[in-house]
Amino acid sequence: MVAFNGTGNSDAVSDRRAFLKNVGVGVAATLATPRLFYGMSPIDVLIRPKALRSGDTIGLITPATYVPDPDRIALAERTMKYFGLRMKLAKNAGKRMGDYHISVDERLDDLHTMFRDNEVKAVFAIRGGYGSMHLLDRIDYDLIHRHPKIFLGYSDITAMHLAINKQAKMVTFHGPIALSRFTDFTQKYFRKALFETQPIGKVTNPPETNELRPGHSLRTIRPGVASGQLIGGNLTLISNTMGTPYEIDTRSKILFLEDVDEEPYSIDRMLTHLRLAGKFSDVAGVIFGECQDCRPKDYKPSSTIPYGLGEVLDNTLGDLKVPVLYGLTIGHTDDQLTLPLGVTATLDATNGTLEITESAIL
């Protein structure tokens, strides 16, 4: 670094002018960039993809478990047509996994091909399953950054959300896969998140038809209101990527977690892992989504720990000094929200709502 001592040395003056010129160019570029999110530091700046329109082509890929059944592929195509979209099936999406290394190469090639293809306006996972983590250290994140598109999926796809969000600096969408059930509730927030450029606004669970025995109950673990960037996904994948370059950053964020078919002791272990790693230390707020079949197997008390899921959540999250909400319909549930990762949101744990206050698409 040049020390400017005011002596008038021509080399120093020249260096100073060059320095100021570069700073000015950088500032001007920053001010001229329409994709910056107000209030975010440069390290948190994320690019936003374009909204979907009727007739757009969607690239369907299987970065996790393969989908060889032609009837399932036909169902995915039916789903795209229902929303006025065209399907472009990745070359290897219907192939059974064989050789491990060939499978990784094929899934990676499908991902890159869809982001490289100018005809494709968004990339959807057909299903989750297992295997997305295989791709993380081989993805061309610069390619994704240079060709921003809506990227949608959940469950095992969480690994890719974390990686793309962090390495490609792009907003992605935690939401239904192409084979999801797409209830009316799911369709409503799918459209709001991916087709409308204004912020999604306030979301909560579907209206109950039986107030005495609600189908989607919400419970406040810690009351309060907090705002921050929304980040999160499947608890198992978030836990499994700890200690890697794709590890989740929860500082000043609204963190949401979801899972399925995990016993309470397993949920306890993963949440304790996050606590020991400091992931709850500077978090702004926490949402734990509706957890299907997260109970001791065969309806018997667990022989590992004597607690149910609600007790585990109270024990691990109840001492946090931030708002904590349990039961939002995220992830493995037929009534499913589509949530943009990386945009500003406000959690009202007292009243059981999450408000997406910033646009996620252009």
Side-chain angles (χ1 to χ4, degrees), residues 119-193:
E119 181 187 21
V120 171
K121 304 304 180 184
V123 182
F124 291 1
I126 300 177
R127 64 159 298 175
Y130 171 77
S132 293
M133 286 182 64
H134 297 154
L135 310 184
L136 301 190
D137 60 345
R138 303 181 61 187
I139 293 175
D140 184 346
Y141 295 104
D142 183 61
L143 169 69
I144 294 174
H145 183 84
R146 288 185 285 106
H147 299 86
K149 301 177 183 183
I150 288 172
F151 179 75
L152 176 72
Y154 77 103
S155 193
D156 195 74
I157 309 303
T158 292
M160 300 182 69
H161 285 306
L162 295 176
I164 292 173
N165 193 262
K166 195 168 187 178
Q167 304 293 329
K169 299 295 182 186
M170 185 180 79
V171 171
T172 62
F173 294 81
H174 184 280
I177 53 173
L179 296 179
S180 289
R181 289 219 28 211
F182 280 98
T183 65
D184 290 344
F185 177 86
T186 303
Q187 291 181 39
K188 173 183 176 180
Y189 287 102
F190 175 85
R191 292 184 187 277
K192 285 179 71 70

Side-chain angles (χ1 to χ4, degrees), residues 91-134:
K91 181 176 64 175
N92 300 296
K95 293 179 64 174
R96 287 186 176 273
M97 290 184 183
D99 179 271
Y100 171 86
H101 295 289
I102 293 176
S103 169
V104 173
D105 288 341
E106 290 175 341
R107 287 179 283 147
L108 189 70
D109 182 61
D110 284 348
L111 175 70
H112 289 161
T113 297
M114 290 305 180
F115 271 97
R116 196 179 292 115
D117 189 337
N118 291 330
E119 181 187 21
V120 171
K121 304 304 180 184
V123 182
F124 291 1
I126 300 177
R127 64 159 298 175
Y130 171 77
S132 293
M133 286 182 64
H134 297 154

Side-chain angles (χ1 to χ4, degrees), residues 145-276:
H145 183 84
R146 288 185 285 106
H147 299 86
K149 301 177 183 183
I150 288 172
F151 179 75
L152 176 72
Y154 77 103
S155 193
D156 195 74
I157 309 303
T158 292
M160 300 182 69
H161 285 306
L162 295 176
I164 292 173
N165 193 262
K166 195 168 187 178
Q167 304 293 329
K169 299 295 182 186
M170 185 180 79
V171 171
T172 62
F173 294 81
H174 184 280
I177 53 173
L179 296 179
S180 289
R181 289 219 28 211
F182 280 98
T183 65
D184 290 344
F185 177 86
T186 303
Q187 291 181 39
K188 173 183 176 180
Y189 287 102
F190 175 85
R191 292 184 187 277
K192 285 179 71 70
L194 305 184
F195 287 80
E196 300 176 13
T197 57
Q198 64 265 35
I200 296 171
K202 191 172 292 186
V203 303
T204 189
N205 285 358
E208 293 294 347
T209 57
N210 185 343
E211 291 296 332
L212 183 61
R213 294 291 183 268
H216 303 289
S217 59
L218 284 167
R219 183 165 67 87
T220 300
I221 295 178
R222 291 279 304 179
V225 178
S227 297
Q229 278 182 271
L230 186 64
I231 193 70
N234 182 262
L235 176 59
T236 298
L237 273 298
I238 288 174
S239 181
N240 288 344
T241 48
M242 295 292 291
T244 74
Y246 320 104
E247 178 177 325
I248 194 167
D249 179 4
T250 62
R251 292 170 296 177
S252 302
K253 309 288 177 64
I254 302 295
L255 170 66
F256 71 86
L257 303 167
E258 68 85 30
D259 222 310
V260 64
D261 200 28
E262 291 285 349
E263 291 199 53
Y265 82 88
S266 179
I267 298 290
D268 178 86
R269 178 170 55 196
M270 289 186 284
L271 289 176
T272 301
H273 183 189
L274 295 186
R275 179 180 65 80
L276 294 174

